[in-house]
Amino acid sequence: MLLAIAVLAPLAGGLLAGLLRPFTSRAVAVGASVASLIVAALAGIALLVRHLVLHVPDHLVMLGTWIDVARFTPHWALREDTLSLVMVGMVTVVSAIIHVYSIGYMAHDRTEPRFFVYISLFTFAMLMLVTANNLIQLFFGWEGVGLMSYLLIGYWYDRASANVAAIKAFIVNRVGDLFFAIGVVLTWLTFHSVSFDVIFAGVPAAIPQTYHLFGSDLPVLEVISILLFIGAMGKSAQLFLHTWLPDAMEGPTPISALIHAATMVTAGVFLMVRMTPLIDHAPVALEVITVIGGTTAFFTATIGCVQNDIKRIIAYSTCSQLGYMFLAVGVGVGPAAIFHLINHAFFKALLFLGAGSVIHALSDEQDVRKMGGLWRKLPVTYVTMWFGALALAAIPPFSGFFSKDAILAAAFANHSRTAMFGWVAGSLGAGLTAFYIVRLMLMVFHGKSRIQADAMAHVHESPAVMLGPLIVLAFGALTSGFLLAPILIGKHYAAFWGSSIALPYHGAMMHRLDNIPVWGAELPLLLAISGIGIAYWFYEIAPAMPARLAKAVPGLYQFVLNKWYFDEAYDVLFVRPAWQLARLIWRVGDDEVIDGVPTGLARLTGAASGQASRLQSGSIAIYGFVMLIGLMVLVTVFLLAR
């Protein structure tokens, strides 16, 4: 019952906010949405307490029969195991905090109730995803968050840039979703079910099976795992399918926080962890996941170092942190991936909402080059954002330190070539992450103000309804690491997770987290501290240094500033050919065939009628002559036919 309340309350809140608005005030409609999320969060917390303290066993909450076609009969049921309950608790709590914050942030928006309808339905879709008991229901939630993200990124639909960003996110995600859908179909063909329990039970029998494709025998589990992973790459913005995420900043800032912290982008990580009983028997897929995760952690960190939009800097850090989570899945420590996901939810939501507080104070200014010296004007935002920044930089005792270092320790302990690549890339990414987040903090809050005097005079701290969520999230960013580490990745991790997460090699990697050389364990932290020191040197001691460095290596600077030219490459490879093909189809298929044939026939008929009308001269002699000619033709044809 509690799980049903936690999942369905956001749906009720969204519907109420939409249905009540025509008949009541904005406050009532918004209040219905916020109250529903608070109820959902309380139910989510109660679920976790009941599961952990009272040890209620895993079970299903049946809501009814969903589809009943021949042998295909997936039920609509809510899965109540540790992994799902942890995700439900995280999603509902963080979403409730963002709902409360949005009351202040969106107070002056003319369509505020519409925003709350979308954001509540967004949360509902994510909850359906994490509580799914089969791949079809998961796909329903998967597409639900995709649809709602499209509506929310393009929320300010009168802005061309917002529409472009929404369409881009929609299309890129559909690319990943196509592979995900094929993976679901192959799963059905292999296991004759989409239920997780049936699939996982059938994995041992499926290990020797192959697909004969392109003259080769491809292992079934490898193919399915890679297809599902490509789907996860789209949702979680991994390398090659990452380009939509920074542009998603066109939506309102609370949506950026929700997408990046608790909902859409974490869906891919959750899918991979949920499918660990299958993926762990696909070693090639694990290596692919490791390489993509490690590479994403590094390359997006390089981009974050030179961006100037406060939200985009934080957005690239999301890609990077998701890379660490995939790296954890690839090296066989799924619990560490979920641990980092939870910590990330707190400090990433905090950073985005803090950025929103800064943007709110500066009347929508987002360029960090036009800020500076704000710490006295925004003291609460300043202090709380430092909590988030240090957690992202993985500095102890803040939360990111415990989960990120556990992931890198597992990569080091794995010793495979791909895992060591992930460790090197992740360690370098740790140093770069610390550099760019401290760069952001220094450029926004410290140094000489670059804000115009008249604008500076009106800068003020955000209202309490926005500061309260920042303080709560800052507490989470500080404490979630050392409070949850003993439970989620400590000695009793196996008892905590039960069978909800499978681990390859009987959890060997989890047991090696504390058994790597000291230099291997401490190097990521040393790089992070070095990154902080370099940022302080560049932006406090020698502020002219970044410009001189950019001039010294202009090619490298432009390469990183232009995000490794992924957008430009995709434009040449996909967008322009697709545009030209569409134009060709329009010209030939539409203009020449669909419109051209009827138009041509009409013109031909008109011309023939015009010519025929000229024969209507009124002369009886001509009419008689024509009749005679016609009679002769008719007789000739008759004689020939005979």
Side-chain angles (χ1 to χ4, degrees):
M1 186 64 181
L2 279 174
L3 185 57
I5 293 174
V7 173
L8 298 178
L11 173 64
L15 294 177
L16 284 174
L19 297 174
L20 289 177
R21 179 63 190 105
F23 309 103
T24 61
S25 65
R26 287 164 54 120
V28 173
V30 171
S33 173
V34 176
S36 71
L37 256 296
I38 292 174
V39 170
L42 293 175
I45 295 171
L47 275 167
L48 275 175
V49 172
R50 190 182 68 164
H51 192 74
L52 298 177
V53 177
L54 302 180
H55 303 292
V56 174
D58 298 349
H59 63 279
L60 292 179
V61 178
M62 297 296 295
L63 298 180
T65 300
W66 188 17
I67 300 173
D68 189 358
V69 180
R71 293 182 300 153
F72 187 67
T73 56
H75 296 289
W76 190 15
L78 306 179
R79 189 181 182 92
E80 190 168 324
D81 64 6
T82 305
L83 177 59
S84 287
L85 294 184
V86 166
M87 291 296 293
V88 167
M90 184 273 291
V91 172
T92 54
V93 169
V94 174
S95 182
I97 293 171
I98 293 173
H99 270 68
V100 173
Y101 176 93
S102 300
I103 296 174
Y105 192 87
M106 300 298 291
H108 302 294
D109 190 88
R110 60 185 174 83
T111 57
E112 183 187 12
R114 179 166 65 89
F115 173 83
F116 278 90
V117 171
Y118 289 170
I119 195 171
S120 291
L121 295 180
F122 195 14
T123 305
F124 164 70
M126 186 65 188
L127 291 169
M128 287 300 300
L129 191 157
V130 300
T131 57
N133 188 48
N134 57 67
L135 283 171
I136 297 299
Q137 188 175 324
L138 189 148
F139 193 72
F140 168 76
W142 189 271
E143 292 303 312
V145 295
L147 171 63
M148 299 315 300
S149 69
Y150 168 76
L151 296 174
L152 285 163
I153 294 169
Y155 176 75
W156 287 313
Y157 53 80
D158 52 348
R159 298 180 184 175
S161 58
N163 289 317
V164 171
I167 293 171
K168 186 176 183 180
F170 194 82
I171 292 175
V172 174
N173 272 279
R174 295 294 78 70
V175 174
D177 292 356
L178 173 63
F179 290 90
F180 182 29
I182 297 172
V184 173
V185 171
L186 292 182
T187 303
W188 159 256
L189 292 175
T190 303
F191 299 99
H192 306 296
S193 175
V194 290
S195 169
F196 291 135
D197 292 334
V198 177
I199 294 169
F200 300 155
V203 166
I207 292 175
Q209 296 182 28
T210 59
Y211 293 125
H212 188 72
L213 192 65
F214 305 126
S216 302
D217 290 326
L218 304 177
V220 165
L221 298 185
E222 296 283 9
V223 174
I224 293 175
S225 298
I226 289 177
L227 288 170
L228 296 180
F229 173 60
I230 295 175
M233 287 171 62
K235 274 290 181 288
S236 294
Q238 293 300 282
L239 180 64
F240 301 121
L241 293 179
H242 67 282
T243 53
W244 67 272
L245 193 59
D247 291 352
M249 298 300 99
E250 292 292 338
T253 300
I255 285 308
S256 303
L258 193 57
I259 289 177
H260 286 242
T263 55
M264 186 168 170
V265 298
T266 63
V269 177
F270 171 79
L271 173 66
M272 289 293 99
V273 176
R274 171 60 79 198
M275 298 302 292
T276 48
L278 187 151
I279 296 173
D280 288 345
H281 293 278
V284 175
L286 288 175
E287 291 188 349
V288 172
I289 295 170
T290 301
V291 171
I292 293 291
T295 307
T296 305
F298 171 72
F299 111 94
T300 49
T302 63
I303 299 173
C305 292
V306 296
Q307 297 300 306
N308 295 311
D309 184 299
I310 185 172
K311 289 173 65 177
R312 287 178 185 263
I313 296 171
I314 302 172
Y316 277 108
S317 77
T318 300
C319 297
S320 184
Q321 299 307 303
L322 291 167
Y324 287 105
M325 298 174 207
F326 280 107
L327 175 61
V329 174
V331 299
V333 287
I338 297 298
F339 182 31
H340 196 52
L341 188 154
I342 295 169
N343 291 336
H344 178 260
F346 282 110
F347 65 70
K348 188 50 57 69
L350 171 59
L351 286 171
F352 268 114
L353 297 188
S357 182
V358 172
I359 295 168
H360 183 265
L362 297 179
S363 303
D364 297 332
E365 180 58 68
Q366 295 186 197
D367 192 332
V368 295
R369 294 170 297 183
K370 300 177 181 178
M371 301 180 187
L374 285 173
W375 73 274
R376 286 189 178 87
K377 292 280 188 176
L378 310 174
V380 178
T381 302
Y382 169 70
V383 173
T384 53
M385 277 194 75
W386 265 117
F387 277 58
L390 293 174
L392 173 63
I395 302 299
F398 295 91
S399 58
F401 167 76
F402 297 92
S403 48
K404 184 188 289 184
D405 275 29
I407 292 170
L408 293 176
F412 189 96
N414 189 286
H415 291 311
S416 69
R417 286 184 297 176
T418 54
M420 288 307 295
F421 168 79
W423 178 77
V424 172
S427 298
L428 293 174
L432 295 172
T433 301
F435 169 80
Y436 69 70
I437 196 61
V438 173
R439 167 182 177 263
L440 181 150
M441 294 298 295
L442 295 176
M443 292 186 73
V444 172
F445 293 104
H446 289 265
K448 185 179 179 181
S449 174
R450 298 172 294 280
I451 306 169
Q452 294 183 354
D454 55 340
M456 191 67 175
H458 296 92
V459 172
H460 57 83
E461 187 60 281
S462 297
V465 74
M466 292 172 64
L467 296 181
L470 292 182
I471 295 171
V472 174
L473 290 170
F475 180 77
L478 172 63
T479 62
S480 66
F482 59 78
L483 288 180
L484 296 179
I487 303 170
L488 302 188
I489 60 171
K491 294 180 180 178
H492 304 294
Y493 79 91
F496 175 80
W497 292 108
S499 60
S500 63
I501 300 179
L503 295 167
Y505 319 114
H506 306 290
M509 289 302 106
M510 291 295 295
H511 296 294
R512 296 180 190 171
L513 295 181
D514 298 325
N515 296 322
I516 66 172
V518 174
W519 68 268
E522 300 299 334
L523 184 62
L525 177 59
L526 293 175
L527 289 173
I529 294 173
S530 300
I532 294 173
I534 294 171
Y536 187 79
W537 179 38
F538 275 19
Y539 296 96
E540 283 293 311
I541 298 175
M545 182 62 73
R548 287 207 298 268
L549 188 60
K551 289 182 179 178
V553 284
L556 177 62
Y557 176 71
Q558 289 298 323
F559 180 71
V560 179
L561 182 64
N562 287 289
K563 301 161 285 186
W564 291 34
Y565 292 105
F566 266 95
D567 283 326
E568 289 77 4
Y570 286 175
D571 186 58
V572 172
L573 293 174
F574 302 115
V575 177
R576 293 184 187 178
W579 177 263
Q580 291 171 354
L581 177 62
R583 188 176 181 83
L584 177 66
I585 293 173
W586 167 44
R587 289 297 189 192
V588 176
D590 195 42
D591 273 5
E592 300 296 333
V593 178
I594 297 176
D595 289 342
V597 171
T599 303
L601 289 175
R603 289 176 180 169
L604 181 62
T605 303
S609 301
Q611 295 298 327
S613 66
R614 295 183 180 179
L615 297 176
Q616 307 303 317
S617 62
S619 172
I620 295 176
I622 292 176
Y623 292 162
F625 179 73
V626 171
M627 289 178 63
L628 179 61
I629 296 296
L631 182 61
M632 289 175 66
V633 171
L634 185 62
V635 171
T636 303
V637 171
F638 175 76
L639 291 175
L640 289 175
R642 186 181 176 191

